Amino acid sequence: MHFIFSDKAVLLFDFWSVHSPAGMALSVLVVLLLAVLYEAIKVGKAKLLHRTLESLPVSTSQQVILETDRDSASLDSPRVNRMHRRWFLCYFGQSLVHVAQVVIGYFVMLTVMSYNTWIFLGVVLGSAVGYYLVYPFLSMV
């Protein structure tokens, strides 16, 4: 297999069939935006994890971890139950964001596997633009 310069390609699904230069330009733009979104989700996931760990006091987060090893009788306190629920919701949210990141990452990978040079350049440019735009937000944590 080798990369080709063509304005004809089928991307991801049969209904995303490109047959013209304008269609290819639009497809490159969509793939570029998917790559930017992938980078934004990566940064958002890191910020969400940081915010979650910051919101739990150190002693409380250690208490939640230690409480899982103790009797269930000590888990009946409202504060510990509330912290368990909060930790579970944060973890569940992080899991959903991770699933979105993986799905978009596979979509981007599969578009590159069309071996179309224009699509490949769109992914590379989208990753670069996404990195440039969203990584400064990571330092604002």
Side-chain angles (χ1 to χ4, degrees):
M1 301 292 292
H2 58 280
F3 281 92
I4 57 171
F5 285 97
S6 174
D7 61 352
K8 294 173 180 49
V10 176
L11 302 172
L12 295 179
F13 305 103
D14 288 335
F15 62 83
W16 192 353
S17 183
V18 181
H19 300 290
S20 67
M24 182 56 70
L26 183 63
S27 295
V28 168
L29 180 66
V30 169
V31 170
L32 184 140
L33 292 175
L34 274 175
V36 169
L37 179 63
Y38 179 80
E39 293 293 329
I41 289 175
K42 277 190 347 185
V43 169
K45 192 168 91 168
K47 286 183 78 165
L48 180 64
L49 176 63
H50 183 73
R51 191 175 301 149
T52 299
L53 293 175
E54 240 180 17
S55 70
L56 292 175
V58 175
S59 61
T60 307
S61 62
Q62 289 175 351
Q63 178 185 0
V64 169
I65 293 170
L66 293 175
E67 289 294 332
T68 58
D69 295 334
R70 293 186 189 159
D71 291 334
S72 61
S74 65
L75 293 176
D76 292 336
S77 69
R79 180 182 169 114
V80 173
N81 281 337
R82 187 181 61 196
M83 294 308 294
H84 275 285
R85 186 171 24 140
R86 184 175 182 185
W87 181 253
F88 172 77
L89 290 175
C90 290
Y91 185 68
F92 185 73
Q94 289 171 355
S95 298
L96 290 178
V97 171
H98 177 74
V99 167
Q101 179 188 0
V102 168
V103 167
I104 290 173
Y106 276 120
F107 280 172
V108 169
M109 178 198 66
L110 288 173
T111 60
V112 169
M113 289 179 63
S114 70
Y115 293 104
N116 187 299
T117 305
W118 301 119
I119 297 297
F120 174 73
L121 293 174
V123 169
V124 170
L125 184 62
S127 293
V129 168
Y131 184 88
Y132 180 77
L133 290 176
V134 297
Y135 271 82
F137 292 112
L138 193 59
S139 64
M140 292 182 197
V141 174

